[in-house]
Amino acid sequence: SDAVFFDGYDWPKCKLRQGYRAPKDARFIIEHDVQEDGTQMEGKSVKSNTAAQSSRKAQLMGDLLGDNDDDENDNTTFGNVPLPEEKGFIIENSAEVRRLARRTNRFFQVSLSGLKLRLDTFDDTSDHRLASCMDVSMADMFLAETVSNSKPIKMLGEWFNDIEHPRDSKDGLVTLKMVTWHPSERVSKDNEIVNDESLGKLELLPLRCYVDQRTVRFVSTFFEGEESTEECSSVVEPQSLLKPVPPPMFRSFKVKSAKLKVNYRPEKLDIDAIRDGCYVELINLNPLEGMVIMLQPVSVSMSIGFGAVVSALLKSWIADICATQLYKFVTDAAPFKPLTQVGGGFANLVVLPWAAFKEKGDARTIKKAMRSSARSLAGTVAYETLTTSSKLTQYAAEKLMGVLSSPSRYAASAPLPSRPRDTPRSLQQVTGHAVDSVAHGLSTANYKVIIIPCREYRKTGAMGATKSVVRGIPVAVMAPFGGVAEAVSYTLLGVRNQVRPDIRKEEEASQRGLHHGDF
C-alpha cells in the first residue's frame, strides 16, 4: 500500500480567495504562500498589488451599476464582457490558480508491503485483566521523495548488506509486539476513563537514509496545522457528551539496538540561527556521506501514548549520539571522508599486527594480520580513488554542460543524456552510456562550428560564417570535454561497482520499488 502526498493544493481557488500567492521561482508551493496584504511566511519579496487594486476597482464599479450578484464565478463587472482593467486580473488570477494547484511531480511517498498483523483479544472476566496481544511485522517499508530531484529517491529504506548484517527472509523490517490489559478500576473518582496498561517491544533492521534539507523542510511544512476558514470549510464538529478512550499507558516500551547509514545533503546554512545559539545548524555546513549511526537499546517507562514514547526515544538517541558519536559528523563529512577512510586503513597496518602479537604472539598469526590489513588498505584506497574520481568528473561534466545549456550566447543544445536507471554492475555495462556521452559532446561541437556557420554563410556570406565560428569556439572546446568527463565518470562508477559489489547491491536496493515496473 502506498500513500502519496503532493505539493500544492487541491482547492487553489480557495487559497487564492484567502489572499495567498506563490513566487514563480518556488521549488515547492506549500512553504512559499504570500498574502496580498504584505504578510509572508518565508521572507520572500512581496508581489505588486496592482491586480488586487484592479479587482477592487471592478467590484466598486459593479456595486455602483448594480450588476454584482452572489455568483462567486463571475469576476467581471458586465458578466462575460470584462473591462480592460479586469482582463489583466483575470489572466493573473488564472495563472495563480495553476501555480497553486497540485504538482504531481513534487511529492513524498510512504510505501508499506508485506504487512502481517495478529491480534488476539480476550473477553472481560473476573479471572484476568488481559485485553489483547498484538504482533505486527512489516516485510518492507520505505519513504520516497521527488522534492530534491526529479527522479524518486528513497529517504528511508532497508540497508541491504549481506556481509555486515545478512537478513533472514522471515525477519520483518519493522516488528512490534504489544500486550495490553485493563486497569483494575475502569473509571476514576473524577469520572474519567482510566488508561489501559501496555508493554511494548520494537525491533528495527538496519536502515538506509538519503536525506535532503529541502525535503525535511517540505515534509515538516506539509504537516503543519492550518486553521480552517468559514469560506472554504463548512464542516461542523458534532457536539457530543461521549469522552474519547485515552491512549494506553506503557509501563515499559523497549527498543532493540539498530543501525542507520545516513547520507545528508544540506541546502544552506542559517548564520542567524547559529548566532542565536542553535548549534544544531552546523550540520548544514557540509554534506555527509555514508555516516553509520548506532542506535542504542532504549527502554521507556510510564509514558502515555505512542507520541510520548516516540518523543522519549528520539530524546534518548539524540543524547547518546551527541555524547558518543558526535565526531562522525566531521569524519564522515564529504571533504574528509576519503582521508579518514584511508587514514584508518594505514592505522590498521599497525593496530591489527599488534593486536595479533598481544593475543598469540606467534609469527604466523602476525603475518596473517599484516596481510589482512594490507589487503584492506589496498581495497580502501582503490574504492575511495574510484568514488572520488567519479564524483569529480561527474561534477565537471555537469558544470560544463550547464554552461552550454544556460540561456547565454554560448547556449548549444540539450544537456548530456541521462544515465540509465539500472546501476552498472561492471565495466562492460558502461559502454553504451559512455559512447552516447562522447557522441553528444562531439555532435554539440559540430553543430556550433560547422552546421551553424554553413547556414550563416548561405544567408550573409563569409563574414557571418566567420562570426559564427568565433562564437562557437567555446562550445567546441567545452562540449567534447563535458562528454568525455561524463563518460569517464560513468566508467569509473562501473569499475567501482565491480570492485565493491556490496556497494552496488546497496545502491540497487535503494532503487527497488521506486518504479511502477518493480511492483
Side-chain angles (χ1 to χ4, degrees), residues 361-372:
D362 58 331
R364 183 179 179 181
T365 305
I366 296 175
K367 289 181 180 180
K368 184 178 179 180
M370 292 179 64
R371 286 195 299 267
S372 176

Side-chain angles (χ1 to χ4, degrees), residues 21-97:
R21 293 294 185 268
K24 296 181 179 180
D25 58 346
R27 186 170 183 83
F28 52 90
I29 296 300
I30 60 173
E31 185 191 31
H32 298 89
D33 292 336
V34 181
Q35 296 184 0
E36 287 181 352
D37 60 359
T39 305
Q40 57 183 6
M41 298 175 59
E42 290 294 328
K44 294 287 184 181
S45 58
V46 182
K47 300 177 64 176
S48 173
N49 58 356
T50 305
Q53 294 176 355
S54 300
S55 175
R56 180 60 177 167
K57 183 186 299 183
Q59 180 70 26
L60 293 176
M61 180 65 71
D63 293 339
L64 180 62
L65 298 176
D67 292 336
N68 283 349
D69 51 21
D70 296 332
D71 187 6
E72 294 182 356
N73 297 323
D74 189 5
N75 295 322
T76 60
T77 304
F78 299 103
N80 296 327
V81 183
L83 294 175
E85 59 268 21
E86 294 174 333
K87 292 181 178 179
F89 170 73
I90 295 174
I91 294 174
E92 185 172 354
N93 187 68
S94 301
E96 286 292 339
V97 169

Side-chain angles (χ1 to χ4, degrees), residues 162-196:
D162 284 336
I163 299 176
E164 294 189 15
H165 40 257
R167 175 183 178 181
D168 193 307
S169 58
K170 297 181 181 180
D171 292 340
L173 185 64
V174 179
T175 303
L176 173 64
K177 296 182 179 181
M178 186 172 165
V179 179
T180 304
W181 61 90
H182 297 301
S184 56
E185 297 292 338
R186 296 291 188 89
V187 180
S188 65
K189 297 180 180 179
D190 299 332
N191 200 26
E192 297 289 340
I193 301 177
V194 181
N195 306 74
D196 289 341

Side-chain angles (χ1 to χ4, degrees), residues 390 393-394 419-424 426-427 429-434 437 485-495:
S390 177
T393 50
Q394 182 183 12
R419 293 189 172 186
R421 194 188 77 178
D422 298 330
T423 304
S426 61
L427 184 61
Q429 294 188 357
V430 304
T431 307
H433 180 72
S437 300
E486 172 63 17
V488 171
S489 173
Y490 198 67
T491 302
L492 292 173
L493 181 62
V495 175

Side-chain angles (χ1 to χ4, degrees), residues 406-418:
S406 62
S408 64
R409 60 175 183 158
Y410 298 130
S413 61
L416 288 170
S418 58

